[in-house]
Amino acid sequence: MTSRSAAQARIRALAIPVVLAIASLPPRAGAAPPDAPDHVFRSPPAEPSPAPALPPLPIPRVAAGNGYRAVDPYPAIPDPGRPAQSGAIPRLVGRADGKDVLAFPLAHTRVSARVAGNVARVEVMQRYDNPSDRRLEAIYAFPLPENAAVVDMTFQIGSRVVQSEVRRREEARATYEAARREGRTAALTEQERPNLFTQSVANVPPHESIFVVLRYVHEVPFLDGRYRFVFPTTIGPRYIPGAPAGRAGPGWSPDTDQVPDASRVTPPVVPPGYRSAHDLELLVQLTPGDAFADVSARSHRIVTGLDGAGARLVALDEQDRVPDKDFVLSYRPAGREPEARALVERERGEDFLLLFVQPPAEVQPAMIRPREVVFLVDKSGSMMGRPIETVKALVARALHALGPDDTFQLIAFDGATEPQTAAAQPNDPAAIARAEAWLSRLRGGGGTEMLAGIRAALRTPADPRRLRMVVFCTDGYIGNEAAVIEAVQRERGDARVFGFGIGSSVNRYLIEGVARAGRGVAEVIGPRDPVDEAVARLFLRLDRPVLTDLQLTVEGAQLSDLSPALLPDLFAGQPLVVAARVRGGAPTAAVLRGRLGGASWSRRLAVTSAPQHAASPLAGTLWARRRIDELQHLAPGAPAKQEVEEVVSLGLRFNLVTPYTSFVAVERELLVDPRLALATVLVPNELPEGVSHEGIFGPARVQVFPARVKPGDPELWIAAAPTARGVKVKLPFEDAWRDATRDGERWVLRFLVPPGQPDGSYAAEIAIAHFDGREERATASIRVDTSAAAVAVLSAPSSVEPGGTIALRLKPALPLGRIPGLLGRPGGLANALKGEMELKEILVRAPWGALARARMEGALGVWTVELPVPADAATGDATLEIVASDAAGNVSRRRVPVAIGAAAPVERLSGIGGIVAGIVLLGAALLAMALLFVKMGGPVPAPPCPPLAPALRRRAPTRVLDRFPQPREPGLKV
C-alpha cells in the first residue's frame, strides 16, 4: 500500500464514526451519541485504594459571591520524585517532549466539523474523568471562534444522555448549584466573551467519565480568495487593568473596576516544565469534496483523504495533538471564485436573507490617496520572544513598501506609551533607517495598557492631505476588550484601523472588533506564516478601499435589522456578507448601490429561496448571532436594559448561549452520594505556543514603605505574580522567617525596627512560593536612618527690594565630620552616602508668613526656590528659615539672613562652609554612584530559606517578568 493510500485509510477509519455522528444526530436528539474507538472513550480503571484528601493550601480561600464559590486557581502539583498518589488530581502520568505530563479531569477533546459553502456545523465532545473516590466538579474555560453560535449542549454518563435547556444566566446558574448540592450530575455552559466560554460539570461519580457535547455553527470567513476554518484550542493569559473590586469567579485575578468579570476570564495555565495529558482529535469534512482545492494548514500537521461520498476529509496528525495553538485550515474554491449570491431561508416561522458580494478586483492608480501610516506595536510581556520579533519584521518590511508621498509614525506600548517621534515623518531613507534602529531595540516586557496606545495613535493631529491608516499589532491578551473597541470607535475620526493579530492563539474577538470599529480589516499572522505575504495583503488593502457608501434594498419585500447595521467600505479581496430579516413579501432581487472610486456603482442579484423542507435551516440562527454582536457593540461597557432584554429574547428564541443566557442540563436520578467529599478542580489551559512564560508572569517587586525608616513600624510590600500562594520574609533584625499576608493585590509584612538599631542599609530576604511549584527569591533594602540631612546654600541674594523676589539655590550637604562615621555602617559606604544626601522636601518660610516649596532641577539635583517679597514689606534685616526633610521623617533647619530695602542685591555664596559642602557633596555623589554600579554588577546570593511547600523542592528558582496588574510602586527590582 502506498503512503498516500495508507494515509487515506487511516483518515477513513478515523472519520467514519465522526461523520456518522454529525449526520445522524439532530440538534436535540434524545439518543446517545454513537460509539467511538476504545482509546477515545475508555473510562479509567478503578483505583485499588482510596484517594487521600487534597492538602490544604497555605493561604485563605477568597470569599465567594454572586452564586460562585471560592476555588483555588491552581491545585498542588505532585512531586515527580515521589510515588503517584492513588486517585490524585492532578496526577503525573509520564513524560513527553521533555516535560512531565499531568492528568487533569479533562482528558480528551474531539472536534467534528462539516463545512458546506461558507457555513460550518461543528460538534465538540469533551471527556471528563474522575479517578478518585470523591465526587468531582470540573470547571474549564475554553475558546471558540468569535462568531460561533452555540446552539446545543448535552452530556452522557453511562448509557444515559441528558439534554440541556436554555435559560437566563442567573436561573441556569441557580439550577446548576442546586443540583451540585443535591448530588445530581449536572453541566452548565456560560459565555464570558464571544470567543470565551466556561463549562462546569458537577458530581462526576468516582471512577466514572462524563462526555459533554457542544454544537455550534458559524460563518467561515472568505478573504483574499481563500476560506479559513479556525478552531482555537487555548486561551492566552490576559492582562487585567484597574483596581481590585472583589472576586465573583474562580480565576486567578480579582475583578477590577475596569474588568468587572476578570475572575471569570483568567483561567489557570499549565505550569512551565509540564504539559497536560489532555489531547485534541479533530476532523473537518469539506462537502462536496471537488469544490475545494489547495487545502493546507500551516498551523498543524494534517492528513487528508476522501470518504465514500466524495467529501474531502482533513484530520490532525497523531503527532500534533497538543492543544496549544489555533488550528487554521485554509482552502480555496476549486472553480471560479464566488462573486455574489443572495439566499432567503425560513427559520422559526420567519424569513431571513443572507447576501454575499465580492468587490471588483482592479483599482486605477489615480484612485490611491497618499497615506499617513501609524504602526502601533504591543511590546508587553506576552509579546516577549517570537511574537515581538515577528512584529519587528512585519513593520520593517512595511516601511520599505510605503509610497513616495506617504508618511509614517511608530508607537510602542506596554505599561506606558513610547512613540519613536512626536509626529509623522516623511518616507525617506534616513527616516526609515532611524525607525529600523528604534525597532531593533524593542523588547517584550511589562503590562498591556492598550487604551493609552490607542489614544496616542488616534488623537495626534491628522494631516488633511493624507488618509491616516493605523496598523495595530498585538496578541490581544487583555481583559478590557470592550473598552478598547469602544475607544477605537469613538476616537477614530476619519482614520482606518487595521487589526493585526500576532501569534499562535490570538484573541480574535479583539482583533476583529478593533478592525470593525476602525473600518478596516483584520489579519492574523501565525508563527509559520510568511511576513512578506502579510505585508503584501496589507498594502493591497491600504491601496484599495474599493466600494464605499454602500446601501442595500430588495425588490418585492422590505429588510429590517440588517447586520452589519451600517454597511462597511470594502477593500480589495474583502467580501460583503449581510444578514437581515425579510418583511412584507417574498423578495425577488437584491440591489446593492455605492461608489467605486469617484463613480456610482450598483449590482442587482436574483434572490433564490432555500428548499422548504431543509433539514436544519441556519439563516435565522446566523442572523441572531450577528444581531447579538450588534447590540453588544452599541455600548460595550454598559449595555442598556433594552439591549440586554433583546439579547435575552434572541437567546431564548434561537436556543443560543449569550452573555445573558446559558445552557444547563441536570440528571434527574440521584447518581452520587452527596455525603461524599466534593473536589472542585479548575482545568488549566496550555500556554500558547511561542508565548514566553517569563514574559507573562513577572518577578516580584519589593518595596519598603517608607523607603527610609527610623525605628518604628514600617511595612514591606511584595507585588508578586497572581500565581503566588505564599510569601515568607527573613528580616535582618530577626532569626526566624515570617509569613507575609495578602492585602488585595500585594503581600504585606508589618514589622518593627528595634530601638537603637544603628543607621545603615540592611537586606531583607524574600521567598515566594507559586502554585505551579516554582520558588522565587528576592531581596529588599531596609535603610535605617536617624540622621537629619544637611542643606548647603549655594547662592542667595544679600538684599532685595520690597516687591522683588528672593531666589535661592540649595543642595543636600554632607558635613565633613560625618564621613568617618559612615565607613562602618551596614550596607557599605555607597548606601550610607546615598542615604545621607537624599531629601524628600525643602520648604522656605519668610517672616511675613510666605511659604514656598523648592523644586529639584538638573542632573546634579540642585534645589531652587523663589519667594516673592510683598511691596509693603518692612525694610531692614530679615531671616529666612529653610526646613529640609527626608523619607524617614528626619528634619533639619537652618537660617539665611537677607536685607530688605538695602542696596542693590548682590548674589553671594554662603561662605566657605557652603563651598566645601558643595565640593564634598559632588565628590560623595560620584563615589556613591561608582560604588553602587560596582555593587549592582554582581549577583545577589540566594539566602537559605525553610521550605514553603513540598512541591518547591523539585525545581530551581525560576525568574519571570511582570505581566499582570500589580501595584507598580517604585522599588528594588530583582
Side-chain angles (χ1 to χ4, degrees):
M1 181 181 292
T2 65
S3 59
R4 178 182 178 86
S5 300
Q8 292 178 350
R10 288 198 307 271
I11 196 169
R12 286 187 183 122
L14 173 67
I16 289 172
V18 181
V19 175
L20 288 176
I22 298 176
S24 63
L25 280 179
R28 303 196 65 79
D35 293 335
D38 288 343
H39 74 279
V40 176
F41 288 101
R42 184 173 62 249
S43 300
E47 302 286 354
S49 59
L54 288 176
L57 295 176
I59 59 173
R61 288 174 176 255
V62 180
N66 300 328
Y68 297 98
R69 296 170 311 286
V71 181
D72 295 316
Y74 287 84
I77 303 299
D79 189 339
R82 294 186 174 184
Q85 293 180 332
S86 175
I89 304 174
R91 65 190 190 281
L92 286 166
V93 294
R95 284 185 65 81
D97 302 325
K99 297 180 179 181
D100 295 325
V101 179
L102 288 171
F104 290 89
L106 179 61
H108 183 72
T109 295
R110 185 185 70 184
V111 181
S112 311
R114 183 175 62 185
V115 180
N118 68 329
V119 176
R121 302 169 186 260
V122 186
E123 179 181 280
V124 179
M125 186 280 295
Q126 300 167 346
R127 189 187 91 208
Y128 296 89
D129 295 341
N130 181 7
S132 73
D133 289 338
R134 294 164 292 175
R135 295 183 292 150
L136 174 68
E137 180 185 33
I139 302 174
Y140 175 45
F142 63 97
L144 288 178
E146 72 283 353
N147 61 346
V150 182
V151 297
D152 188 34
M153 184 268 286
T154 63
F155 72 82
Q156 178 181 353
I157 180 168
S159 61
R160 293 182 59 81
V161 175
V162 182
Q163 301 289 341
S164 67
E165 297 178 292
V166 61
R167 296 185 182 178
R168 287 180 178 266
R169 182 166 185 161
E170 59 273 14
E171 295 175 6
R173 165 60 64 174
T175 299
Y176 173 84
E177 292 291 343
R180 177 185 178 275
R181 290 191 301 270
E182 296 167 1
R184 302 180 188 275
T185 303
L188 176 69
T189 306
E190 299 171 295
Q191 178 181 317
E192 317 299 347
R193 297 286 186 275
N195 63 339
L196 197 161
F197 296 78
T198 298
Q199 185 64 53
S200 302
V201 182
N203 292 313
V204 182
H207 309 294
E208 292 285 348
S209 298
I210 282 183
F211 307 94
V212 177
V213 177
L214 295 167
R215 297 182 180 90
Y216 68 88
V217 298
H218 71 99
E219 300 172 38
V220 179
F222 182 79
L223 197 61
D224 301 317
R226 298 185 70 85
Y227 289 100
R228 288 175 177 83
F229 172 87
V230 177
F231 182 79
T233 67
T234 191
I235 299 168
R238 282 161 159 74
Y239 173 82
I240 304 297
R247 186 188 298 266
W252 52 258
S253 172
D255 302 325
T256 71
D257 55 353
Q258 294 189 43
V259 188
D261 62 346
S263 60
R264 301 284 300 170
V265 298
T266 51
V269 175
V270 176
Y274 295 94
R275 57 154 289 192
S276 172
H278 170 220
D279 67 339
L280 175 68
E281 179 184 357
L282 186 146
L283 176 74
V284 180
Q285 180 188 35
L286 304 175
T287 59
D290 58 1
F292 305 97
D294 191 17
V295 179
S296 64
R298 285 177 175 154
S299 61
H300 290 75
R301 295 190 297 272
I302 59 174
V303 291
T304 67
L306 297 174
D307 67 6
R312 171 71 61 182
L313 302 179
V314 181
L316 282 182
D317 186 273
E318 293 181 358
Q319 303 302 313
D320 199 1
R321 295 190 174 183
V322 178
D324 62 353
K325 53 186 173 293
D326 291 352
F327 173 78
V328 183
L329 183 67
S330 172
Y331 48 90
R332 62 176 176 82
R336 185 179 179 184
E337 288 188 11
E339 293 184 359
R341 57 176 178 268
L343 173 73
V344 169
E345 188 174 48
R346 193 165 188 81
E347 183 180 352
R348 300 180 186 270
E350 190 173 356
D351 289 334
F352 297 91
L353 172 74
L354 294 179
L355 176 78
F356 177 96
V357 175
Q358 184 83 326
E362 296 300 324
V363 178
Q364 299 300 320
M367 298 166 59
I368 302 174
R369 288 177 55 186
R371 298 155 304 197
E372 176 195 351
V373 183
V374 180
F375 297 95
L376 182 59
V377 175
D378 179 353
K379 64 180 185 76
S380 61
S382 63
M383 298 289 288
M384 178 183 288
R386 187 191 302 176
I388 192 67
E389 295 305 318
T390 300
V391 173
K392 289 154 69 172
L394 169 74
V395 175
R397 175 68 182 83
L399 289 175
H400 290 278
L402 292 170
D405 295 329
D406 294 339
T407 61
F408 70 91
Q409 185 180 20
L410 307 184
I411 302 175
F413 69 90
D414 45 24
T417 301
E418 179 188 352
Q420 184 222 347
T421 55
Q425 49 192 326
N427 175 23
D428 60 52
I432 290 179
R434 290 191 298 270
E436 289 179 321
W438 184 83
L439 275 173
S440 68
R441 295 191 292 269
L442 294 184
R443 298 292 183 270
T448 316
E449 294 296 335
M450 195 171 288
L451 279 173
I454 291 290
R455 293 176 183 132
L458 294 176
R459 285 184 175 178
T460 55
D463 184 345
R465 297 169 299 170
R466 293 177 170 86
L467 179 62
R468 174 174 290 174
M469 303 284 193
V470 178
V471 181
F472 181 30
C473 303
T474 179
D475 54 20
Y477 292 164
I478 59 169
N480 58 331
E481 299 101 322
V484 170
I485 294 170
E486 188 175 22
V488 171
Q489 187 168 337
R490 183 179 60 252
E491 305 281 356
R492 71 188 181 195
D494 293 329
R496 298 183 185 273
V497 182
F498 294 78
F500 264 71
I502 308 295
S504 63
S505 187
V506 304
N507 184 354
R508 292 175 186 260
Y509 160 53
L510 176 73
I511 304 302
E512 294 283 350
V514 163
R516 180 171 58 246
R519 300 180 303 171
V521 183
E523 173 94 14
V524 173
I525 304 177
R528 300 169 183 83
D529 292 332
V531 169
D532 286 351
E533 293 182 10
V535 172
R537 290 191 297 269
L538 169 65
F539 277 90
L540 182 67
R541 296 179 187 121
L542 292 181
D543 288 343
R544 305 179 180 184
V546 180
L547 287 176
T548 60
D549 303 329
L550 290 171
Q551 295 181 339
L552 176 65
T553 59
V554 293
E555 298 174 358
Q558 295 180 345
L559 300 179
S560 66
D561 297 326
L562 272 71
S563 179
L566 297 175
L567 301 187
D569 296 342
L570 299 185
F571 294 80
Q574 175 195 11
L576 173 68
V577 182
V578 179
R581 278 174 159 165
V582 178
R583 304 286 177 84
T588 57
V591 181
L592 188 65
R593 295 182 176 87
R595 300 191 68 81
L596 177 62
S600 297
W601 176 91
S602 65
R603 184 75 179 272
R604 186 176 184 275
L605 306 173
V607 176
T608 60
S609 297
Q612 291 292 325
H613 302 289
S616 300
L618 292 177
T621 299
L622 297 175
W623 168 83
R625 181 65 179 80
R626 282 169 158 262
R627 176 63 179 168
I628 290 169
D629 278 350
E630 294 279 344
L631 293 168
Q632 292 294 107
H633 280 95
L634 290 178
K641 182 178 180 180
Q642 179 180 351
E643 279 80 32
V644 171
E645 289 304 313
E646 185 173 351
V647 171
V648 170
S649 176
L650 290 170
L652 297 176
R653 180 186 176 194
F654 288 91
N655 213 66
L656 297 174
V657 177
T658 73
Y660 314 113
T661 57
S662 304
F663 282 134
V664 62
V666 177
E667 169 57 65
R668 298 306 173 185
E669 293 185 5
L670 193 63
L671 295 180
V672 186
D673 185 350
R675 294 172 297 180
L676 289 175
L678 177 67
T680 298
V681 178
L682 302 186
V683 177
N685 279 256
E686 295 283 349
L687 192 68
E689 181 186 73
V691 173
S692 167
H693 191 279
E694 182 183 4
I696 294 284
F697 298 98
R701 294 181 311 282
V702 184
Q703 181 187 12
V704 178
F705 182 80
R708 287 159 63 188
V709 301
K710 294 187 292 186
D713 189 15
E715 296 180 348
L716 188 67
W717 294 350
I718 303 102
T723 53
R725 66 184 295 175
V727 175
K728 285 183 177 291
V729 179
K730 174 70 168 58
L731 293 169
F733 327 114
E734 301 176 1
D735 295 330
W737 289 78
R738 294 175 55 183
D739 291 317
T741 58
R742 189 188 291 275
D743 184 6
E745 278 297 280
R746 61 183 166 221
W747 300 76
V748 177
L749 179 71
R750 295 173 176 86
F751 62 96
L752 292 174
V753 176
Q757 184 74 26
D759 285 6
S761 182
Y762 301 85
E765 304 160 8
I766 298 105
I768 303 161
H770 292 269
F771 283 105
D772 56 19
R774 292 178 297 117
E775 179 181 334
E776 185 182 352
R777 297 293 185 91
T779 59
S781 178
I782 300 175
R783 288 162 54 193
V784 179
D785 181 10
T786 59
S787 302
V791 175
V793 180
L794 300 182
S795 65
S798 59
S799 62
V800 64
E801 292 292 330
T805 300
I806 300 173
L808 303 177
R809 297 176 69 245
L810 312 171
K811 187 73 176 170
L814 181 63
L816 295 175
R818 288 191 190 176
I819 293 180
L822 301 181
L823 297 176
R825 281 193 182 180
L829 178 62
N831 277 314
L833 290 171
K834 187 171 184 289
E836 285 288 328
M837 295 183 294
E838 280 187 347
L839 286 179
K840 179 181 179 181
E841 186 179 56
I842 300 178
L843 300 175
V844 179
R845 182 181 290 111
W848 51 84
L851 182 68
R853 178 176 283 106
R855 61 184 182 276
M856 189 171 66
E857 298 177 345
L860 295 179
V862 175
W863 294 70
T864 63
V865 62
E866 293 181 349
L867 200 69
V869 179
D872 57 354
T875 59
D877 292 336
T879 301
L880 306 178
E881 184 183 30
I882 301 174
V883 182
S885 59
D886 60 22
N890 302 302
V891 176
S892 68
R893 302 172 187 272
R894 69 170 298 168
R895 288 174 171 78
V896 176
V898 62
I900 305 299
V906 177
E907 193 81 7
R908 61 176 170 83
L909 295 178
S910 183
I912 190 66
I915 298 175
V916 172
I919 295 173
V920 171
L921 171 67
L922 179 59
L926 295 174
L927 177 61
M929 292 173 62
L931 291 175
L932 282 174
F933 178 81
V934 172
K935 180 179 179 181
M936 294 174 65
V940 178
C945 171
L948 298 170
L952 296 182
R953 294 193 297 272
R954 55 175 302 279
R955 294 191 180 277
T958 302
R959 280 181 52 89
V960 287
L961 293 180
D962 176 65
R963 156 78 178 180
F964 296 109
Q966 307 288 348
R968 295 187 175 273
E969 301 88 4
L972 177 64
K973 190 170 184 179
V974 296

